[in-house]
Structure formats: structure tokens, C-alpha cells
Amino acid sequence: MILKQMLEYSKFLIKEAVKPGDKVIDATCGNGYDTLFLAEIVGPEGKVYGFDIQKNAIIATKALLDQHKITNVELIEDSHEKAHKYIDHALSAVVFNLGYLPKGDHNITTQPSSTIMAIHNILPYLKKHGLVVITIYHGHMNGKAEKMALQNYCQMLEQKKFSVLEYKFINQQNDAPFIIAIEKLS
């Protein structure tokens, strides 16, 4: 297939923005697969900050990183809306996978207010041409609210400072996941 599925397209975008030695954030560690992907791209000279509010997500991510002998990641059990408090340098990319932890408690989901606050707080730290890549899973009640809030927020970002892309398949089910990507222009 020429058109990339959501996770594949997310990784494609990240590879375009991130180079070895860069600093990046995985705003929603989940089971650690994006954290591992980011750690491999930035290499041993780079740094990944991984956030999750759930201890079991941090534990799963740490186990995956240990299995691959990855040491350039700092795991932080805290909300992504506080990520800016842990960094003091420019970022090349920030990745969000919204919704709930796969195989976890489906009642614990990302929230529109904290996700928007996280993006708002992180945007000033992005390098020129840095990316925020958000995969939105909206097949649950809170996901629908988060989808609408994020679309509204992103549409209001100043066009001279940011380019915002929405990538989705329009002939699939109405609640199929999609991506919003934000590129900092200046």
C-alpha cells in the first residue's frame, strides 16, 4: 500500500524531523513502542523524555527499553501537560498517542484539557521545523471530545508560525484513528 497507515505515517514524519543527538518527547509512553522508536532514532547522544500518568505504563516501557539495552531515555510518571517543567532545551519532536493504554483500564484516558495544555506548553520548545505528531483514537466517548477540542485548538494556531496537517482516510469507519501534525515554522 502506498498510502501509509497511521502509525507508519507518524513514524515517517518523525524520521523527517529527528536526527541523531536530538531531544524529543514521548508524551504518552503506553507500552513503550514509540519511546523505543524515538530512542533508536536519536541514538546514544540524543535524549528521550517519556511521560505517562500510569505506573504500569512506565514499568512496561522500562522493561521494553531494558530488553533493547536503551539508556538514553528518562521516564517520568507525570502528566504530559507538565512536560515543559522537565526540559530546558529545544525539541525536534513530540509524539502523542491519545486514548487509553492498550490492554489497560479503558476508563483512564487522555483528557482534552491536559492534552491541549501539553501542546500549548511544548510548542515554544520546538526547534524550527520541529514536529508535534498526535495520533487520535476517538472511538470512545472521551476520545470524541478530545478529537473536537484538538481540532478546534489546532485550527486556531497562527498560520505564520505553524503548519497543521490532518491525515486520515475518509472512506473508513467514522471513528478510525487519524493524525494531526504541527510543524513549527519559525
Side-chain angles (χ1 to χ4, degrees):
M1 186 167 165
I2 294 170
L3 297 176
K4 295 174 179 8
Q5 295 296 319
M6 295 308 120
L7 293 180
E8 184 183 356
Y9 189 65
S10 172
K11 288 180 179 183
F12 167 78
L13 291 172
I14 295 300
K15 286 178 186 176
E16 293 294 309
V18 177
K19 306 291 180 258
D22 283 353
K23 311 287 189 284
V24 298
I25 289 177
D26 182 353
T28 51
C29 286
N31 289 313
Y33 297 108
D34 284 338
T35 312
L36 175 62
F37 170 74
L38 290 168
E40 291 173 343
I41 289 178
V42 301
E45 301 302 316
K47 176 93 176 204
V48 179
Y49 296 87
F51 290 86
D52 210 293
I53 61 168
Q54 296 184 69
K55 186 172 214 55
N56 55 344
I58 296 293
I59 291 168
T61 300
K62 183 174 179 353
L64 182 66
L65 297 173
D66 288 348
Q67 178 184 346
H68 288 86
K69 297 179 177 34
I70 300 290
T71 60
N72 60 341
V73 176
E74 181 178 341
L75 295 174
I76 302 161
E77 188 180 343
D78 203 349
S79 173
H80 50 230
E81 74 181 302
K82 297 178 187 172
H84 67 289
K85 294 181 179 184
Y86 294 88
I87 55 170
D88 60 358
H89 47 269
L91 299 166
S92 295
V94 182
V95 176
F96 289 82
N97 271 307
L98 302 181
Y100 49 79
L101 177 65
K103 299 178 184 170
D105 182 347
H106 292 196
N107 294 312
I108 302 171
T109 67
T110 53
Q111 299 293 315
S113 59
S114 63
T115 299
I116 288 171
M117 186 57 65
I119 294 166
H120 178 79
N121 290 338
I122 287 170
L123 287 177
Y125 290 93
L126 278 183
K127 291 180 179 179
K128 185 176 181 179
H129 301 298
L131 290 178
V132 176
V133 179
I134 311 156
T135 304
I136 302 169
Y137 295 87
H138 56 103
H140 54 97
M141 284 306 291
N142 194 58
K144 291 176 187 357
E146 193 165 39
K147 168 193 165 186
M148 291 177 59
L150 277 165
Q151 287 174 317
N152 290 335
Y153 173 79
C154 291
Q155 287 173 355
M156 302 305 292
L157 290 173
E158 190 176 337
Q159 186 176 355
K160 290 181 181 179
K161 293 182 180 179
F162 301 98
S163 284
V164 182
L165 165 79
E166 186 173 284
Y167 181 81
K168 64 182 177 179
F169 293 101
I170 61 173
N171 66 338
Q172 293 183 2
Q173 62 190 21
N174 289 337
D175 58 359
F178 68 97
I179 290 173
I180 292 179
I182 304 166
E183 178 182 0
K184 187 172 186 178
L185 300 176
S186 58

